[in-house]
Amino acid sequence: MGNLFTNYYELAAMLLFVIGFLTLLIQRNLIKKIIGMNIMDTSVFLFLAAKGYVAGRMSPIIRDGVTDASLYINPIPAGLVLTGIVVAVSTTAFALALALRWYQQYNSLDVDWTALKYLLKGEK
Amino acid sequence: MTFFEIMLLLFLIACAISIFFIKRLVNAVVVFMSYSAIMAVLWLSLESPDLAITEAAVGCGITTLLFILALKKVNALKEDGEADRDEHNI
Amino acid sequence: MSIISEEGKKTLTSFSDWVSANSPDIPAEVVYPPKKDDHGHGHDDHGHDDHGDAHCDAHEEAHEEAHEELRSSAYEALHASDAPPAAPAAVTAQPKEKETVTEEGPMTERTFVRTLGAGYRLIAAVCGVLLAIILLVTVAFLPRFGSAENPALNEVSRRYLEEGLTDTGAVNTVAGMILDYRAFDTLGESIVLFTATVTVIFLLQQSRRKNDEARALEEEDLQQGVRSLPARVVIGIAFPFAMLYGIYVVLNGHLSPGGGFSGGTILGGTLILAHLAFGEQYTQRFATITRCTGILSVALLVYMGLKSYSVLTGANGMESMVPLGTPGSIFSAGLIFPLNICVGLVVACTMFTLYSLFTKWKA
């Protein structure tokens, strides 16, 4: 089993990733799919931030000019996640705009129902 | 402190699973909002305060508002009598 | 939207009665314009066998053009629910029949789609479980959470923490990292935001006429804000403070937690809050979509202009251009201060523009 239960942050992040992935795959509604994508986003961010954390150290803001690397946590994951969160919003907005155009075209957000109603009938 | 964090992580997983099973889309969006709020607390416990500020503003504010606006545009917010407008009949 | 409509069924029966009564007199193109019939094939054939050969030819032509017609027929079906229910004229009754046909279609297609969907879900669930097992095994072999022997704590982060203050002058190491060492990465992220804004404008732009219709129809709340007085008062008090806090977080990005990304989201959220409380009539005095996209582009260009200096000097950083100042004072850390303002403006304008576009759109 190794470190499975001592790495509880990573464990939770992986479980959240799988749940978001299944929501993205299985749900038929586009809004649900987009929420699943957001859950995957945040789980990856949680994993990155958990890898950067070191127990007992402080956030990477230099206190009193003391530049000792053994006092602060890793600043790299924080920088990556900070930009990632904001980019996740813009991708969410883009996906929602696409979903709204889908609704305008097909009058439904259910992917399976739309396929049944229009695509198969149209091909026959 | 570890116990507290594990409870928050369990709450996150419970939120994610319930989002999968909730039928009404507005409820799913509100559960996702609480998910983001808990995530902001977890950033603080991971010693990343700047991430906490960003996640609180983004997850609880802007993303939720965009979702709710999109639901309003597809008429998923109205409670009309004939059918409950959940994910299967929008 | 309910799929089964009783009126549709009624219209169908009355329509088919009417067609069978009148079919000898009416030419096939009028009763069954091939353009509108591509959905109905395969089910109404049993009902309308007495129509003769011209009918079938029309059908076949329709099927060859089915792909081209898909779009227009979907558009018609979309408007079918708005049409008045009765009126046994061929043109108005045709979309009604289409809806009903979707309901009473041959069971083979429906069962095919259902089986396909169930099989797909089963495969997806199996894949998810496999993925979970792989990821959890990987987690079991990762280094312990919170240990200082983590290989991610390599010489890069040590360098950022130990030399960052003298290299960049920023007390907040994260700000020094994303706006000095890795400023090109941040430029890419800002361009992602810009691209997303442009794409959403492209997707949700509408003609001015439809915009005015949407404005006239409803959205009174979005025009004038919420009617509840306590909400207006509380938001009116909180709005300037929240704005001030956002500006503080942006300007203090190199000294304290925050920076352009955090403060920009706070500023954007505050503008959205003002839009919610006081409506578009209030916010369009200082923030419109045109103005926001203008500010967004200008901020992005200023960012590029400031950072292109380091390209000219061989990407060696910018320490010689602006003095770093004393660490801890507000005018320090060289170019991180103006770059933070640029990023904050980009993020805030992106957020507000996305929100405004979503409010204005109408299906």
Side-chain angles (χ1 to χ4, degrees):
Chain A
M1 292 298 278
N3 292 327
L4 185 59
F5 291 105
T6 48
N7 292 344
Y8 49 92
Y9 268 100
E10 287 93 333
L11 176 68
M14 291 308 176
L15 287 178
L16 287 175
F17 186 85
V18 172
I19 294 167
F21 188 62
L22 285 180
T23 313
L24 184 63
L25 282 187
I26 293 181
Q27 287 287 337
R28 302 181 349 187
N29 192 288
L30 282 173
I31 302 278
K32 280 286 193 71
K33 280 181 190 285
I34 297 171
I35 296 179
M37 195 184 75
N38 267 299
I39 291 175
M40 286 171 74
D41 275 342
T42 46
S43 75
V44 172
F45 299 153
L46 186 64
F47 180 78
L48 278 176
K51 287 324 283 176
Y53 178 74
V54 180
R57 297 195 186 176
M58 296 181 293
S59 55
I61 292 162
I62 309 289
R63 269 94 164 170
D64 305 326
V66 183
T67 58
D68 186 3
S70 63
L71 281 179
Y72 306 106
I73 67 166
N74 195 347
I76 299 174
L80 298 181
V81 173
L82 188 61
T83 49
I85 290 176
V86 180
V87 169
V89 184
S90 64
T91 54
T92 305
F94 174 55
L96 280 175
L98 282 177
L100 285 183
R101 290 304 297 265
W102 176 285
Y103 181 81
Q104 190 183 24
Q105 181 79 37
Y106 296 116
N107 210 10
S108 165
L109 283 180
D110 193 327
V111 183
D112 278 12
W113 188 72
T114 314
L116 177 68
K117 191 178 176 189
Y118 292 100
L119 301 180
L120 278 181
K121 297 290 178 188
E123 276 174 11
K124 183 159 187 315
Chain B
M1 198 61 192
T2 310
F3 174 74
F4 182 63
E5 290 169 5
I6 288 176
M7 290 309 288
L8 288 181
L9 289 170
L10 286 179
F11 186 84
L12 278 189
I13 294 174
C15 277
I17 292 177
S18 60
I19 285 172
F20 188 92
F21 288 108
I22 287 175
K23 287 275 181 274
R24 221 174 124 75
L25 289 173
V26 192
N27 300 358
V29 169
V30 172
V31 171
F32 181 68
M33 182 179 167
S34 68
Y35 173 96
S36 296
I38 296 297
M39 194 61 103
V41 179
L42 279 173
W43 295 132
L44 266 187
S45 77
L46 284 176
E47 293 286 341
S48 309
D50 36 6
L51 297 188
I53 296 172
T54 317
E55 177 78 27
V58 161
C60 303
I62 295 165
T63 310
T64 311
L65 265 174
L66 288 181
F67 270 115
I68 287 182
L69 271 176
L71 288 182
K72 185 180 164 69
K73 296 299 172 187
V74 302
N75 295 323
L77 292 183
K78 288 178 193 157
E79 300 239 17
D80 44 2
E82 56 179 55
D84 212 13
R85 301 187 63 92
D86 59 20
E87 53 176 343
H88 291 309
N89 50 16
I90 280 177
Chain C
M1 176 184 155
S2 102
I3 312 161
I4 315 169
S5 68
E6 290 298 321
E7 297 155 5
K9 278 181 197 162
K10 265 183 236 158
T11 322
L12 175 62
T13 52
S14 63
F15 173 64
S16 54
D17 290 346
W18 179 77
V19 165
S20 52
N22 292 311
S23 55
D25 304 323
I26 294 180
E29 301 93 272
V30 178
V31 180
Y32 276 101
K35 195 178 170 183
K36 304 192 166 186
D37 205 19
D38 46 357
H39 286 318
H41 184 53
H43 335 292
D44 41 1
D45 267 352
H46 345 288
H48 305 290
D49 269 341
D50 48 342
H51 282 192
D53 290 330
H55 177 109
C56 292
D57 290 341
H59 266 298
E60 283 177 10
E61 283 174 22
H63 298 150
E64 288 172 5
E65 295 175 1
H67 282 288
E68 288 86 354
E69 301 297 335
L70 189 61
R71 194 182 162 87
S72 65
S73 58
Y75 182 76
E76 282 160 19
L78 199 147
H79 286 271
S81 54
D82 300 331
V91 182
T92 51
Q94 200 67 34
K96 285 290 173 190
E97 189 198 25
K98 230 178 280 169
E99 281 201 354
T100 326
V101 156
T102 315
E103 273 317 297
E104 298 172 348
M107 287 315 288
T108 53
E109 273 183 10
R110 295 177 64 96
T111 42
F112 174 68
V113 172
R114 292 271 161 79
T115 326
L116 201 67
Y120 169 72
R121 287 190 186 87
L122 190 68
I123 293 171
V126 170
C127 286
V129 171
L130 280 178
L131 182 67
I133 291 170
I134 293 170
L135 291 178
L136 292 186
V137 169
T138 315
V139 165
F141 287 99
L142 284 177
R144 291 175 69 90
F145 169 70
S147 78
E149 281 81 43
N150 196 330
L153 276 172
N154 51 12
E155 65 274 7
V156 180
S157 65
R158 213 175 305 134
R159 156 90 196 197
Y160 285 167
L161 285 169
E162 287 173 353
E163 311 287 331
L165 194 60
T166 50
D167 277 353
T168 67
V171 173
N172 183 0
T173 314
V174 177
M177 193 191 101
I178 64 174
L179 289 175
D180 195 309
Y181 290 115
R182 304 189 170 202
F184 283 116
D185 185 16
T186 313
L187 177 63
E189 314 269 357
S190 311
I191 290 176
V192 168
L193 292 182
F194 177 73
T195 316
T197 316
V198 171
T199 319
V200 174
I201 288 175
F202 173 68
L203 280 172
L204 297 186
Q205 70 182 352
Q206 282 175 324
S207 63
R208 188 174 292 272
R209 186 184 56 81
K210 205 163 182 185
N211 242 333
D212 291 343
E213 273 180 23
R215 200 168 286 193
L217 253 178
E218 43 147 5
E219 317 292 346
E220 197 182 326
D221 282 354
L222 292 176
Q223 281 284 308
Q224 318 211 331
V226 291
R227 286 187 205 87
S228 140
L229 185 64
R232 291 177 77 105
V233 170
V234 168
I235 295 176
I237 294 171
F239 171 63
F241 290 104
M243 204 66 148
L244 199 62
Y245 177 62
I247 293 171
Y248 164 78
V249 170
V250 171
L251 295 186
N252 266 313
H254 52 298
L255 301 178
S256 64
F261 284 100
S262 319
T265 51
I266 294 171
L267 283 176
T270 314
L271 285 177
I272 292 172
L273 190 69
H275 190 290
L276 275 178
F278 306 117
E280 203 193 336
Q281 289 178 343
Y282 177 70
T283 48
Q284 72 185 0
R285 291 183 211 156
F286 49 88
T288 57
I289 290 182
T290 324
R291 210 173 287 172
C292 277
T293 39
I295 293 173
L296 171 59
S297 314
V298 169
L300 210 53
L301 283 175
V302 170
Y303 191 109
M304 287 178 190
L306 289 178
K307 275 315 281 184
S308 56
Y309 177 81
S310 69
V311 177
L312 293 178
T313 58
N316 274 331
M318 299 174 292
E319 56 274 347
S320 58
M321 187 178 174
V322 176
L324 289 181
T326 44
S329 71
I330 180 86
F331 292 113
S332 65
L335 277 182
I336 291 180
F337 183 65
L339 289 182
N340 250 332
I341 298 174
C342 287
V343 172
L345 285 176
V346 166
V347 174
C349 292
T350 303
M351 298 301 160
F352 187 72
T353 312
L354 293 176
Y355 172 82
S356 311
L357 285 167
F358 271 81
T359 55
K360 282 190 196 312
W361 189 79
K362 177 175 175 293

